[in-house]
Amino acid sequence: MALGRSEFAVLLEAFRDAAVLVPLYHGGWLTADFGGIRWILAFSDESALARYALARDEADREWTYQTVLGARLLDLAVPKAGVPCGVALDAADGAEHALLLPPVTGIVPDAFAVDHVQQGGTPR
């Protein structure tokens, strides 16, 4: 179990330091709501975004995007969402390759982590 946490910590730090692509959709960033969480969809590169477009059968349209530092998504965008929010990296690449960063303590600011609120913390 500790090895799994250690590996995840390395992935999280790499994500925070990486510039990722966030598609634009209707004047904002592309998101998906699932399981009571809003997920900001981010992609590691244009190839990952293209795979997502193919999976949605939308490869023929233009996909505009912004390049955003992963840390900015977690530290600034998640709190501004107004609802529980996390980040899904490379969502079309399957469970073995996609990375879900849920709104929990240690990933997003504590005040916006759903487990912090459930443990008696107050949401902001």
Side-chain angles (χ1 to χ4, degrees):
M1 185 69 93
L3 180 59
R5 288 183 188 150
S6 175
E7 290 173 358
F8 182 78
V10 169
L11 287 174
L12 177 59
E13 194 58 36
F15 175 80
R16 292 182 64 77
D17 292 340
V20 296
L21 311 181
V22 183
L24 301 175
Y25 186 73
H26 294 295
W29 287 339
L30 182 64
T31 62
D33 291 347
F34 183 77
I37 306 289
R38 175 155 303 149
W39 297 94
I40 299 170
L41 301 181
F43 299 90
S44 55
D45 55 31
E46 288 181 343
S47 295
L49 177 55
R51 289 189 298 275
Y52 178 80
L54 282 169
R56 293 186 51 84
D57 199 26
E58 295 184 40
D60 58 339
R61 77 170 182 89
E62 181 180 351
W63 286 79
T64 56
Y65 59 83
Q66 289 181 329
T67 303
V68 182
L69 194 61
R72 291 184 58 102
L73 287 177
L74 296 173
D75 298 343
L76 301 174
V78 164
K80 289 183 180 181
V83 297
C85 184
V87 177
L89 180 68
D90 297 339
D93 290 350
E96 292 182 18
H97 301 287
L99 177 64
L100 293 180
L101 300 166
V104 296
T105 303
I107 296 177
V108 302
D110 286 352
F112 301 94
V114 294
D115 57 335
H116 175 75
V117 173
Q118 290 170 350
Q119 294 173 10
T122 55
R124 293 188 201 186

